[in-house]
Amino acid sequence: MTNNLQLHWQGNLQSIAFDTEGIKACLHNLDYPVYVVRHDNKIGIANEGNIQHGKEQGHAELLAFCQPLIPEQLGSADFREFHGVRYAYSSGAMANGISSTDLVIAMGQAGMLGSFGAAGLIMARIEESINIIQQALPTNPYMFNLIHSPAEVALEQNAVELYLKHDVTTIEASAFLNLTPYIVYYRVAGLSLDQQNQINIKNKIVAKISRREVATKFMQPPPKKILDELVQSRYISTYQAQLAEHVPMADDITIEADSGGHTDNRPLVCLLPSMLKLRDEIQAKYNYPHQIRVGAAGGISTPDSALASFMMGADYIVTGSVNQACVESGACEHTRKLLAQADMADVIMAPAADMFEMGVKLQVLKRGTLFPMRAQKLYDLYSTYDSIESIPANERVKIEKQIFRRNLDEVWQDTVAFFNERDPRQVERAKNNFKRKMALIFRWYLGLSSRWSNQGEKGREIDYQIWCGPSMGAFNDWVRGTYLAELSNRRVVTVAKEIMRGTAFLYRLRSLQMQGVQLPNHFSQYQI
């Protein structure tokens, strides 16, 4: 290695570490710069000193240099300021309260943004969770999930009305295929002008997206057609509709790659650059005062994946599957143990309960559960037959004994009772539509299987539906042999801080590497 610029390090020669432990300590001291120097034909590292031209007394040859970088500096400063957080890091929503009140409160109290998993919950449970979180975090950050529900429109409408009623000012929108009047209503109902005559956006939206065509809709102002309908229905004022023409639908776009749950399994290295380019094109067209931020999600659970995202231009990162294995999550202990044992290949795609008829799939854990195979069996039957009655008798008996463990007529009665409380229109639509009735019966199993996983339903372990992406296996590989290998030590804030600190450390190593410094493996491992 040669020093072409003839730069030298000046400082106290006693501060240079040449031994293994001293070098490790210098590398992990992220609050201070790193100087890689050669003195007396030995290479060492120091955290203090100055860079000088020419060699004088007390100088050593400078081989490489890195500025200080702490985890709070990673990502977008605008994201941190806008949401009032310490880190450009968020825990994404996982439905049925897996992203629990405890999880969101723990994140918020640590100055990080967490999203409550409201999808799949009845309104009374969501309202209770709003009260709990708002009481615990009166000034700290939090957000609630709003999931697109094309099969149960009332759920989306009721959730929006609940968020507006309780002044929930940040939502994470997920699984949207198109803009709906309800999410537009949420956004526009919070628009006003401040004293400086600038548009004030009270209701913030973080949209989790994996398709360019959907991202385009959230990066642009709301469609005029929907705005006109909302004005006509008196949900918003004409003035708010006019303001809406100058703001995007979302403040942040989270690019969701190969994640657990709803996913298109897209590689982040292809998807993120494409979405950043799209954002820049739309910004050039609309010239928003505040540029939309683009974050990365799906497959992120280690410093390596986090650093890759930031280096590609992500303004923030979002974790998901890894949080489900943390003690604050809404998943039961059995589920968390299965997740802690998962490898990257232990995931598979399976039919989704909320978009069953559309053939939409989500990514789940296949290790320790038969849910993926049984759910696929039900979808195959749905695709083949027009009603429950047309299913061959031997097939019906098989699924009643092995999957439902109940007579399907009894399951239908439970399904009717469930939807009468949740969305009675679903039952009405199925009265004279036998195919629809079959879908609702099959969704009984798909819907309950995730709740069994959360509640720890005894005797149903083999049917647990556990949303999970390959990032879970990557995390388990990373923490093997450390204190985070123990399930009881996995706390959502601890995991977040270790990932972010490891990312800053890894950035330091890669910077030195690009300057020609090749550190032995025992120097370059982040000490969890």
Side-chain angles (χ1 to χ4, degrees):
M1 182 163 35
T2 60
N3 186 355
N4 296 325
L5 296 177
Q6 294 299 308
L7 296 175
H8 289 81
W9 172 88
Q10 181 187 39
N12 182 359
L13 295 175
Q14 300 301 315
S15 68
I16 305 174
F18 295 101
D19 63 296
T20 298
E21 292 307 313
I23 290 175
K24 284 183 178 179
C26 287
L27 289 172
H28 281 81
N29 196 356
L30 301 175
D31 296 302
Y32 290 86
V34 161
Y35 303 89
V36 181
V37 303
R38 188 187 344 247
H39 181 69
D40 285 344
N41 292 320
K42 295 187 299 182
I43 295 178
I45 292 181
N47 284 139
E48 58 184 58
N50 297 293
I51 299 174
Q52 302 287 340
H53 288 277
K55 187 173 183 180
E56 300 176 7
Q57 187 70 24
H59 282 206
E61 182 183 1
L62 180 69
L63 303 178
F65 166 73
C66 278
Q67 293 278 7
L69 179 69
I70 58 175
E72 289 87 342
Q73 292 176 272
L74 292 166
S76 165
D78 187 43
F79 177 88
R80 297 192 297 272
E81 181 181 356
F82 185 80
H83 292 287
V85 293
R86 290 180 59 194
Y87 302 93
Y89 181 108
S90 170
S91 62
M94 299 195 79
N96 290 336
I98 294 175
S99 298
S100 65
T101 55
D102 287 345
L103 190 152
V104 173
I105 290 169
M107 289 288 287
Q109 289 176 339
M112 288 184 275
L113 187 60
S115 180
F116 179 77
L121 300 179
I122 62 173
M123 292 303 119
R125 170 76 186 281
I126 298 175
E127 188 166 30
E128 178 187 18
S129 301
I130 291 173
N131 292 330
I132 291 171
I133 290 174
Q134 288 184 337
Q135 184 175 2
L137 302 174
T139 59
N140 295 72
Y142 68 88
M143 58 183 171
F144 273 71
N145 179 232
L146 177 69
I147 193 166
H148 183 38
S149 304
E152 298 178 68
V153 177
L155 293 182
E156 191 179 324
Q157 178 182 1
N158 293 340
V160 165
E161 291 174 351
L162 200 59
Y163 295 156
L164 291 173
K165 172 186 174 183
H166 288 280
D167 206 24
V168 173
T169 57
T170 307
I171 64 168
E172 182 187 40
S174 60
F176 275 78
L177 304 174
N178 204 342
L179 294 179
T180 65
Y182 312 113
I183 193 168
V184 174
Y185 170 41
Y186 174 84
R187 179 66 162 178
V188 180
L191 296 181
S192 62
L193 279 183
D194 61 21
Q195 293 181 345
Q196 287 74 41
N197 211 35
Q198 299 295 314
I199 298 178
N200 177 52
I201 303 174
K202 178 184 177 183
N203 297 334
K204 306 169 186 175
I205 293 179
V206 179
K208 193 184 292 182
I209 291 167
S210 60
R211 295 176 178 268
R212 280 178 62 93
E213 64 271 21
V214 180
T216 300
K217 297 177 188 297
F218 276 92
M219 290 182 181
Q220 293 179 333
K224 190 175 186 305
K225 180 181 178 181
I226 295 180
L227 291 174
D228 290 344
E229 291 173 354
L230 291 172
V231 170
Q232 188 173 2
S233 302
R234 297 186 179 179
Y235 281 103
I236 62 173
S237 67
T238 302
Y239 185 56
Q240 287 175 319
Q242 292 171 349
L243 294 178
E245 296 176 2
H246 304 284
V247 299
M249 268 299 300
D251 306 286
D252 302 277
I253 301 290
T254 301
I255 306 308
E256 186 175 16
D258 194 10
S259 64
H262 289 289
T263 179
D264 287 323
N265 304 109
R266 297 191 179 187
L268 188 64
V269 292
C270 299
L271 190 58
L272 180 57
S274 174
M275 293 294 195
L276 287 168
K277 184 174 183 293
L278 175 65
R279 186 273 310 274
D280 294 343
E281 292 171 354
I282 290 178
Q283 175 64 26
K285 177 179 179 180
Y286 290 98
N287 195 29
Y288 299 125
H290 299 283
Q291 181 171 267
I292 298 168
R293 293 168 297 272
V294 177
I300 299 175
S301 62
T302 66
D304 302 83
S305 52
L307 179 62
S309 302
F310 285 127
M311 294 302 290
M312 283 192 294
D315 291 308
Y316 60 96
I317 59 172
V318 179
T319 55
S321 299
V322 66
N323 302 319
Q324 190 175 193
C326 291
V327 297
E328 300 94 344
S329 87
C332 73
E333 185 176 4
H334 179 83
T335 292
R336 290 189 283 111
K337 285 180 178 178
L338 289 179
L339 289 166
Q341 298 165 4
D343 291 326
M344 282 184 279
D346 289 337
V347 294
I348 193 172
M349 299 300 291
D354 56 344
M355 300 183 187
F356 180 78
E357 298 95 318
M358 301 168 65
V360 173
K361 294 188 174 185
L362 36 68
Q363 192 158 215
V364 298
L365 187 69
K366 65 179 179 181
R367 181 179 184 138
T369 173
L370 292 178
F371 167 79
M373 289 68 76
R374 290 178 170 179
Q376 186 59 50
K377 173 67 175 179
L378 294 179
Y379 185 75
D380 291 343
L381 291 173
Y382 173 78
S383 301
T384 304
Y385 301 102
D386 293 326
S387 67
I388 291 292
E389 291 70 25
S390 62
I391 297 175
N394 64 323
E395 287 286 359
R396 174 166 176 164
V397 169
K398 189 183 298 183
I399 63 174
E400 285 181 334
K401 287 185 176 181
Q402 295 179 355
I403 300 178
F404 291 92
R405 303 186 190 178
R406 297 181 64 190
N407 181 280
L408 292 186
D409 293 332
E410 295 176 0
V411 172
W412 173 241
Q413 294 305 315
D414 284 354
T415 302
V416 169
F418 172 79
F419 279 109
N420 278 338
E421 178 184 3
R422 179 184 174 106
D423 184 4
R425 284 177 288 185
Q426 299 299 315
V427 179
E428 289 296 321
R429 288 172 55 194
K431 277 187 176 179
N432 298 311
N433 187 332
F434 300 116
K435 186 87 167 178
R436 174 68 177 165
K437 178 181 177 181
M438 177 167 55
L440 292 183
I441 290 174
F442 287 173
R443 284 172 58 189
W444 177 93
Y445 172 76
L446 272 70
L448 281 180
S449 58
S450 61
R451 288 175 174 79
W452 292 333
S453 173
N454 294 352
Q455 297 167 1
E457 185 77 17
K458 298 298 182 183
R460 277 291 192 174
E461 289 86 353
I462 205 69
D463 291 298
Y464 284 4
Q465 178 183 176
I466 304 170
W467 300 311
C468 182
S471 63
M472 191 71 250
F475 179 83
N476 290 334
D477 285 344
W478 176 50
V479 302
R480 188 170 289 114
T482 74
Y483 80 101
L484 283 178
E486 175 59 44
L487 194 61
S488 61
N489 292 330
R490 295 188 181 186
R491 296 190 171 275
V492 65
V493 171
T494 303
V495 167
K497 288 183 176 180
E498 291 286 15
I499 289 175
M500 291 297 279
R501 185 167 178 80
T503 302
F505 174 78
L506 193 60
Y507 175 83
R508 168 165 285 183
L509 293 188
R510 296 294 173 256
S511 297
L512 293 176
Q513 186 178 21
M514 287 187 287
Q515 296 176 63
V517 175
Q518 298 294 329
L519 291 166
N521 289 338
H522 60 276
F523 286 142
S524 59
Q525 298 300 314
Y526 172 65
Q527 297 174 350
I528 296 178

